[in-house]
Amino acid sequence: MSVSDTDNAYEVLIPNIYIGQRLDQTLASLFPQFSRSRLQNWLAKGNLLVNGQIIKPKTKVLGGEQIIILDTQDGEESAFRPEDLPLEIIYEDDSLAIINKQKNMVVHPGSGNWSGTILNGILFRYPSNKNIPRAGIVHRLDKDTTGLMVIAKSLEAQIDLVRQLQLKSVRREYYALVNGKAPTKGTIDQPIGRHPRNRIKMAIVSSGKDAVTHFSTLEGGTNWSALSCLLETGRTHQIRVHLTSIGHALLGDTSYPGKTKKYASLLDTLFFKRQALHAERLTLTHPSSGKLMNWQSEIPDDIRTLLSALKTKENE
């Protein structure tokens, strides 16, 4: 696999995990920074070639095809640019890197966020990751969710890590501060899809994808709880939507606030401007060595300060 000499071009081999899928669906997965209509337009005009040829969008993928996107001069491709950003790498080797993501950082370029993302930082630190779909990103965290992410540094590692996620063998544990006194433990098994009226939000909908979240209460007061959440699946906004659905919305979450207005004054005083969610632990099988590895990220200072304030308020 190689990269074109043209800086504005992308050249990637289609991983075998997409065998049998339609080309247009595969392209949408490999290049999420571009809209489906743009990709299809490039296909039609010959700006996107498969093994050097113009192929119909409905063509089934065989695996291993070479995708080349030529210089289209239409602006969006500039999203895939290296940028020197302060990424906190807590572990790395030839196969993968573990990032401790900070708040207010978008993982992947998209509408309104075409630069300054984790992906841009990855391409600066690991230039060869331009050869890998999604620049090696295996899973995402929301903009204001902090904590651990794994990045593949080779196509082989990415395929292995994606398979682990599909097999639900990657263990992802989150720390959350939520509204209300939560049960000691529980499981939320409700499908998640796009909100029927607000398309930028997610919701529990019968037509959605299977989503399962396990949780247990670590500590709490009369009107708040600190939870450990374990993801069995990885849907967009899964923890936020699931916890809100059972009356335990994340503190600070303006998109899925539930009944958290009573915390507005406290959050304003602390300048706490995000959902209180942190990806605390990550466990997976190393794609090269086969060794089970795990990492932990300390709870950020802003969440610790909020927790302390909740305890103080409880005792007043």
Side-chain angles (χ1 to χ4, degrees):
M1 182 167 53
S2 63
V3 156
S4 166
D5 291 333
T6 304
D7 289 341
N8 293 328
Y10 303 92
E11 182 175 332
V12 210
L13 295 185
I14 297 181
N16 288 338
I17 56 173
Y18 295 105
I19 290 176
Q21 187 169 275
R22 284 173 39 152
L23 176 62
D24 54 356
Q25 295 171 335
T26 300
L27 292 174
S29 295
L30 295 178
F31 301 102
Q33 72 272 31
F34 303 129
S35 65
R36 291 194 180 213
S37 61
R38 188 178 298 272
L39 289 166
Q40 290 182 359
N41 186 45
W42 289 345
L43 270 174
K45 290 183 175 180
N47 285 331
L48 193 158
L49 301 176
V50 181
N51 289 337
Q53 299 180 338
I54 299 175
I55 302 294
K56 293 182 179 180
K58 294 183 180 180
T59 303
K60 300 289 181 159
V61 166
L62 301 176
E65 294 97 325
Q66 179 193 53
I67 302 294
I68 295 180
I69 299 179
L70 304 176
D71 182 6
T72 58
Q73 297 296 321
D74 63 1
E76 268 188 32
E77 67 273 15
S78 63
F80 237 68
R81 297 292 191 190
E83 293 181 46
D84 188 3
L85 301 173
L87 300 183
E88 183 182 349
I89 310 294
I90 66 170
Y91 174 86
E92 65 177 315
D93 56 33
D94 291 340
S95 297
L96 55 80
I98 304 297
I99 293 177
N100 189 29
K101 178 184 171 299
Q102 303 305 301
K103 63 184 178 181
N104 198 34
M105 285 198 78
V106 174
V107 170
H108 203 290
S111 179
N113 295 285
W114 294 114
S115 63
T117 71
I118 295 287
L119 182 144
N120 298 116
I122 290 170
L123 290 176
F124 182 88
R125 189 177 180 103
Y126 309 119
S128 63
N129 270 41
K130 186 174 181 179
N131 300 356
I132 309 172
R134 298 173 181 260
I137 292 173
V138 176
H139 63 107
R140 304 189 193 187
L141 296 177
D142 295 335
K143 177 181 178 181
D144 283 323
T145 297
T146 53
L148 301 174
M149 288 180 56
V150 59
I151 305 298
K153 293 174 67 178
S154 71
L155 179 60
E156 294 74 19
Q158 186 185 50
I159 291 172
D160 186 89
L161 291 168
V162 168
R163 284 176 177 162
Q164 289 187 50
L165 284 168
Q166 292 172 339
L167 293 171
K168 303 177 182 179
S169 61
V170 176
R171 186 178 179 90
R172 290 168 290 168
E173 297 178 67
Y174 292 72
Y175 182 92
L177 289 178
V178 303
N179 170 63
K181 189 174 181 64
T184 302
K185 60 181 179 179
T187 294
I188 308 167
D189 185 352
Q190 293 288 346
I192 291 177
R194 286 290 169 188
H195 194 286
R197 294 180 300 278
N198 187 342
R199 303 303 290 174
I200 65 172
K201 294 177 63 174
M202 308 302 287
I204 292 176
V205 291
S206 59
S207 60
K209 295 181 179 179
D210 291 343
V212 180
T213 304
H214 306 284
F215 69 89
S216 59
T217 298
L218 302 172
E219 59 180 318
T222 305
N223 296 306
W224 63 273
S225 301
L227 305 182
S228 174
C229 299
L230 179 63
L231 289 182
E232 187 172 313
T233 54
R235 308 306 177 199
T236 302
H237 300 175
Q238 179 173 317
I239 292 176
R240 300 164 67 185
V241 171
H242 269 174
L243 291 179
T244 299
S245 75
I246 62 170
H248 299 297
L250 289 161
L251 301 189
D253 194 337
T254 56
S255 295
Y256 307 96
K259 298 180 180 179
T260 58
K261 289 184 179 180
K262 57 181 172 287
Y263 298 100
S265 178
L266 175 62
L267 296 175
D268 285 343
T269 299
L270 298 175
F271 298 101
F272 194 91
K273 303 295 183 182
R274 69 179 182 103
Q275 64 268 8
L277 185 63
H278 177 68
E280 184 180 15
R281 294 184 179 88
L282 177 65
T283 303
L284 54 83
T285 300
H286 193 281
S288 297
S289 70
K291 179 181 177 182
L292 190 66
M293 302 186 72
N294 61 81
W295 297 269
Q296 181 171 352
S297 170
E298 291 295 323
I299 306 300
D301 289 343
D302 62 342
I303 292 182
R304 288 187 178 277
T305 299
L306 176 56
L307 175 63
S308 178
L310 290 168
K311 290 180 178 179
T312 299
K313 191 174 181 64
E314 182 81 15
N315 294 325
E316 288 178 352

